[in-house]
């Protein structure tokens, strides 16, 4: 086994810690006239409400302004101004408007207050971190340390984050780390958008009131409200049904959620982190994902590298998993070399599973290459394969792709029987995304 010790965070040389910059979008307000004249507000938020009530992001003292007077939202087309049903109206260049896109520098008049509004960006420096571990993430290669640097800067902001990376590469660990470092006191709620039934996704995400539809005998809070004050991690966002995407966009922009069956929106303070192993940009091109939602989600994109790009981290990861498992056996040099030569289609999850299985197979002796049972699924360039043959699998090593497929089919079929056809439970047991499981079920005609 390697001598790397991930439990004591290692520090890389300072020369490595080059400064880089990340761009955050913001809405800028400069109050020109009225009782609050002279105030400048710059907010890295997707929307800003203006009015005299204390729950507005910009609270004015002008008595001719309504409690909730106007709202400005970042959209793909630029800043969008909406009057929120104010008594005295919202004026843009002397004209009363209900809704209008703002130019580069627009001046609004609300009551006796005038505000100059603009869209700006803020560049925040970040460093390639020097640690070899951050939260639950282990790895000291430059791509991992760059990721740590970004997480540290982005975590305490309210910005929506999109995490991309192959299945098993650690996207959920990144989301958890972002939440832990956010300083948000509410919970981290994990929501899997790849559930088969779009109605279930809608009800579980946005909640519903009692009697919203046949069978709704009680009210459901929904993931957004459960995450109030905390973080909502939407996993497999690429699987979110198209018809629900405008509804999610509206919640992200307004930070209000309307439970199904209710026209009473509820204000929520939720930081959204979404993840996908799919290429959302390509999905947008193909008309499978809405461009406006993609724009809103991808304000900050964090890419988690696949394990084959950070193979130098394998010894550190092995040590970390061995410590967690309380593993006493050591890897032979040949076994270590085999781990470094393998291409890891199932990424870190596969590495963990390979080690767990090897620990059982070697019966406390040293771990040799044959205990690792590394399987070439011919998938080096194909992301999101199952990449995991441990859970309940037979110990036989298949030789051909046909045999591998038969083995995988059997594994899924056994797990389906054990879990009474509950796909979510099967996906959890096999350690694969629900979307992958569903594809395999169709492919194998199960
Ligand atoms: N850098 C890492 N350090 C330590 N553990 C890791 C790392 N990356 C992944 N893991 C472990 O690998 C497993 C899979 O990670 P995770 O669930 O975060 O992957 P994912 O990218 O969200 O996968 P999926 O797309 O299938 O949901 C977990 O047990 C996690 O703890």
């Amino acid at each position: 086994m390697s001598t790397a010790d991930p439990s004591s965070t290692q520090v890389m040389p300072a020369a490595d810690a080059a400064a880089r910059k990340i761009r955050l979008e913001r809405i800028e307000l400069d109050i020109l006239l009225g009782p609050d004249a002279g105030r400048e507000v710059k907010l890295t938020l997707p929307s800003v409400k203006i009015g005299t009530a204390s729950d507005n992001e910009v609270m004015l003292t002008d008595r001719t302004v309504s409690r909730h007077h106007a709202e400005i939202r970042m959209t793909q087309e630029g800043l969008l101004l909406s009057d929120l049903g104010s008594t005295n109206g919202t004026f843009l260049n002397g004209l009363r408007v209900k809704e209008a896109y703002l130019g580069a520098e627009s001046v609004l008049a609300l009551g006796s207050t005038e505000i100059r509004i603009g869209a700006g960006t803020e560049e925040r420096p970040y460093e390639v971190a020097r640690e070899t571990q951050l939260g639950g993430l282990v790895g000291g290669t430059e791509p991992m340390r760059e990721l740590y640097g970004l997480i540290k800067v982005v975590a305490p902001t309210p910005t929506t984050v999109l995490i991309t990376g192959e299945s098993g590469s650690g996207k959920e660990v990144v989301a958890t780390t972002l939440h832990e470092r956010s300083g948000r006191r509410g919970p981290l709620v994990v929501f899997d958008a790849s559930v088969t039934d779009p109605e279930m996704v809608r009800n579980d995400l946005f909640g519903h009131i009692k009697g919203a539809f046949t069978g709704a005998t009680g009210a459901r809070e929904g993931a957004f409200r459960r995450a109030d004050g905390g973080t909502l991690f939407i996993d497999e966002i690429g699987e979110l049904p198209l018809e629900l995407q405008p509804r999610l966009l509206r919640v992200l922009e307004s930070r209000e959620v309307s439970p199904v069956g209710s026209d009473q929106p509820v204000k929520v303070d939720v930081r959204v982190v979404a993840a996908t192993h799919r290429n959302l940009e390509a999905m947008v091109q193909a008309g499978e994902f809405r461009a406006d939602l993609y724009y809103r989600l991808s304000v900050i994109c964090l890419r988690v590298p696949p394990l084959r790009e950070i193979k130098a981290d394998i010894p550190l990861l092995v040590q970390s998993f061995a410590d967690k498992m309380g593993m006493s056996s050591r890897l032979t040099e040949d076994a270590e070399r085999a781990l470094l030569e393998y291409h890891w289609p199932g990424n870190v999850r596969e590495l963990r599973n390979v080690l767990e299985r090897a620990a059982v197979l070697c019966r406390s002796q040293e771990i040799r290459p044959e205990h690792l049972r590394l399987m070439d699924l011919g998938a080096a360039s194909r992301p999101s394969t199952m990449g995991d043959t441990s859970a309940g699998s037979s110990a036989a090593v298949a030789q051909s792709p046909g045999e591998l497929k038969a083995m995988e089919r059997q594994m899924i079929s056994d797990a389906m029987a054990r879990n009474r056809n509950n796909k979510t439970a099967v996906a959890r047991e096999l350690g694969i995304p629900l979307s992958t499981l569903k594809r395999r079920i169709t492919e194998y005609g199960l």
Side-chain angles (χ1 to χ4, degrees):
M1 186 93 55
S2 150
T3 49
D5 180 5
S7 58
S8 69
T9 301
Q10 296 171 21
V11 173
M12 292 289 162
D16 253 353
R20 300 170 193 213
K21 289 199 173 104
I22 185 166
R23 260 180 52 191
L24 300 172
E25 281 181 77
R26 67 185 187 194
I27 300 176
E28 299 174 351
L29 299 93
D30 190 358
I31 306 179
L32 306 173
L33 267 181
D36 301 292
R39 248 175 80 198
E40 278 183 29
V41 188
K42 294 181 169 115
L43 294 163
T44 50
L45 287 174
S47 69
V48 168
K49 286 202 178 78
I50 310 168
T52 53
S54 62
D55 60 350
N56 291 287
E57 283 75 32
V58 179
M59 192 183 142
L60 298 174
T61 54
D62 183 348
R63 288 176 170 274
T64 57
V65 167
S66 296
R67 284 175 54 73
H68 298 105
H69 198 114
E71 181 188 36
I72 296 148
R73 298 206 310 267
M74 287 183 191
T75 75
Q76 205 179 354
E77 285 81 27
L79 294 184
L80 178 64
L81 164 74
S82 308
D83 180 88
L84 298 174
S86 67
T87 311
N88 296 327
T90 299
F91 293 82
L92 181 63
N93 303 330
L95 290 175
R96 185 166 181 167
V97 291
K98 179 83 192 109
E99 211 163 57
Y101 284 102
L102 300 178
E105 291 261 308
S106 304
V107 177
L108 301 185
L110 325 174
S112 56
T113 296
E114 273 189 26
I115 310 176
R116 185 170 47 224
I117 313 264
T121 52
E122 181 179 327
E123 294 213 319
R124 295 225 184 134
Y126 73 93
E127 291 193 338
V128 174
R130 296 163 71 182
E131 298 95 329
T132 54
Q133 185 166 17
L134 189 77
L137 293 164
V138 173
T141 49
E142 181 156 337
M144 287 306 286
R145 289 184 292 113
E146 171 145 21
L147 183 62
Y148 302 163
L150 282 165
I151 291 173
K152 286 185 189 175
V153 171
V154 170
T157 72
T159 315
T160 305
V161 180
L162 179 66
I163 307 169
T164 61
E166 291 178 14
S167 185
S169 59
K171 298 185 291 298
E172 187 163 345
V173 192
V174 170
T176 308
T177 311
L178 278 170
H179 176 66
E180 286 166 358
R181 301 186 71 96
S182 69
R184 300 180 67 82
R185 281 200 284 271
L188 169 69
V189 173
V190 179
F191 182 83
D192 184 347
S194 69
V195 176
T196 3
D197 180 8
E199 268 190 31
M200 225 159 97
V201 176
R202 186 194 61 182
N203 299 338
D204 288 352
L205 195 53
F206 307 110
H208 64 76
I209 59 163
K210 187 176 169 184
F213 47 86
T214 322
T217 46
R220 179 181 295 228
E221 208 178 18
F224 262 105
R225 278 193 290 161
R226 274 191 286 125
D228 200 11
T231 305
L232 174 60
F233 173 52
I234 309 182
D235 202 2
E236 306 290 351
I237 188 78
E239 314 302 318
L240 187 74
L242 257 176
E243 67 263 33
L244 294 180
Q245 294 181 12
R247 197 171 185 139
L248 174 61
L249 178 65
R250 183 66 206 149
V251 181
L252 294 178
E253 286 179 342
S254 66
R255 283 165 295 140
E256 285 179 347
V257 62
S258 296
V260 177
S262 159
D263 51 10
Q264 292 289 308
V266 184
K267 210 170 164 53
V268 281
D269 167 23
V270 174
R271 201 272 181 87
V272 173
V273 175
T276 183
H277 66 276
R278 301 185 64 178
N279 181 344
L280 280 194
E281 229 170 325
M283 287 181 74
V284 169
Q285 299 295 326
E288 293 162 2
F289 201 87
R290 286 184 64 116
D292 48 8
L293 179 59
Y294 174 64
Y295 165 81
R296 175 58 29 238
L297 288 172
S298 59
V299 179
I300 300 285
C301 256
L302 297 182
R303 177 181 179 267
V304 188
L307 187 52
R308 65 180 173 280
E309 282 180 18
I310 48 164
K311 280 190 178 176
D313 280 331
I314 289 177
L316 212 57
L317 283 160
V318 168
Q319 185 65 55
S320 160
F321 288 131
D323 290 349
K324 279 192 199 131
M325 289 186 252
M327 206 164 106
S328 53
S329 33
R330 294 167 48 85
L331 273 90
T332 62
E333 263 180 40
D334 282 352
E336 280 188 355
R337 198 172 320 115
L339 291 182
L340 291 170
E341 279 167 8
Y342 187 56
H343 57 259
W344 300 108
N347 295 298
V348 183
R349 177 186 290 123
E350 186 181 8
L351 174 63
R352 190 201 60 197
N353 290 333
V354 161
L355 290 174
E356 277 175 4
R357 184 176 48 208
V360 175
L361 292 176
C362 78
R363 296 200 187 85
S364 303
Q365 307 290 304
E366 55 183 14
I367 297 176
R368 294 192 301 273
E370 60 268 31
H371 296 131
L372 299 172
R373 311 222 151 171
L374 298 175
M375 291 214 267
D376 191 340
L377 294 168
S381 58
R382 185 158 35 97
S384 310
T385 57
M386 284 191 63
D388 170 11
T389 51
S390 71
S393 74
S394 76
V397 178
Q399 300 297 315
S400 68
E403 278 174 287
L404 282 170
K405 278 189 184 271
M407 219 170 104
E408 193 178 76
R409 186 184 192 282
Q410 190 59 47
M411 230 170 82
I412 295 174
S413 149
D414 290 349
M416 290 287 278
R418 270 195 304 279
N419 291 285
R420 296 201 193 119
N421 289 333
N422 179 336
K423 291 188 195 124
T424 312
V426 173
R428 201 178 304 123
E429 180 186 316
L430 298 179
I432 57 171
L434 195 57
S435 53
T436 308
L437 175 67
K438 280 186 246 159
R439 270 200 306 280
R440 295 291 193 269
I441 288 174
T442 314
E443 193 181 322
Y444 297 142
L446 288 167

